[in-house]
Amino acid sequence: MDNPYTSPSTEPTPVAPSLPQNSPLASLGDRFLGALIDGVIGAVIGGILMFGLVMTGLIQNMGTIGWLPMTGLVVVNFVVMMAIQFKFLKETGQTIGKKVVKTRIVTMDFKKPDIQKLIINRYGFVAALQLLPLVGKFLPLVDALMVFKDDRRCLHDMIAGTQVVKCSPGELIS
């Protein structure tokens, strides 16, 4: 007689959908360089915003900026960054950094992702989490380290259901 309390003998279901064997995933170097370029753009925007706040007297001492002004700064920085990247994300699924390194964001079935889902799920959700006390300090590190998995998908990729792939020469995206 079979024991009803024994563990099942079937294989577990994979968490992420499997990719084709010849999947053109972006390399770690391409992902790093693309993120670095986009990060520099974001840092420049943030620096300009911070400089403006200091010059207008809204922030007196940089070391004592409160949670509310910091939240406002992050929100404005996010809106400006998305305004700069919007055209590229909508047309080709690329940011400026991804254009430079010739990679793009696609869904798990290699289609161009919906722009609203990209902005809200891939970028907005993670930006909002970064504002949380404690979690927000560690989230960017956890997000970045997830790129070392076999499927090279970071936390923001998993939330948005996307992946980053290398562009083929002359490739048109639907």
Side-chain angles (χ1 to χ4, degrees), residues 25-81:
L25 292 174
S27 71
L28 292 174
D30 287 341
R31 291 215 54 180
F32 174 77
L33 187 56
L36 180 65
I37 292 167
D38 290 334
V40 167
I41 293 168
V44 168
I45 293 167
I48 291 169
L49 292 172
M50 190 66 79
F51 180 75
L53 291 174
V54 170
M55 293 307 291
T56 59
L58 293 173
I59 295 178
Q60 302 297 324
N61 184 353
M62 291 301 291
T64 60
I65 185 169
W67 186 82
L68 191 59
M70 182 55 85
T71 301
L73 186 64
V74 168
V75 168
V76 171
N77 190 328
F78 178 78
V79 169
V80 171
M81 185 70 167

Side-chain angles (χ1 to χ4, degrees), residues 89-132:
L89 284 169
K90 184 173 181 176
E91 290 177 358
T92 62
Q94 295 174 295
T95 59
I96 294 170
K98 286 177 178 47
K99 278 191 171 299
V100 170
V101 297
K102 296 179 176 39
T103 61
R104 66 182 177 114
I105 304 164
V106 295
T107 61
M108 294 308 291
D109 56 353
F110 296 94
K111 294 191 168 114
K112 186 175 74 172
D114 180 60
I115 185 67
Q116 288 85 6
K117 286 184 181 178
L118 273 181
I119 291 174
I120 293 168
N121 295 353
R122 186 177 167 96
Y123 295 105
F125 183 72
V126 174
L129 285 179
Q130 289 178 358
L131 292 171
L132 296 175

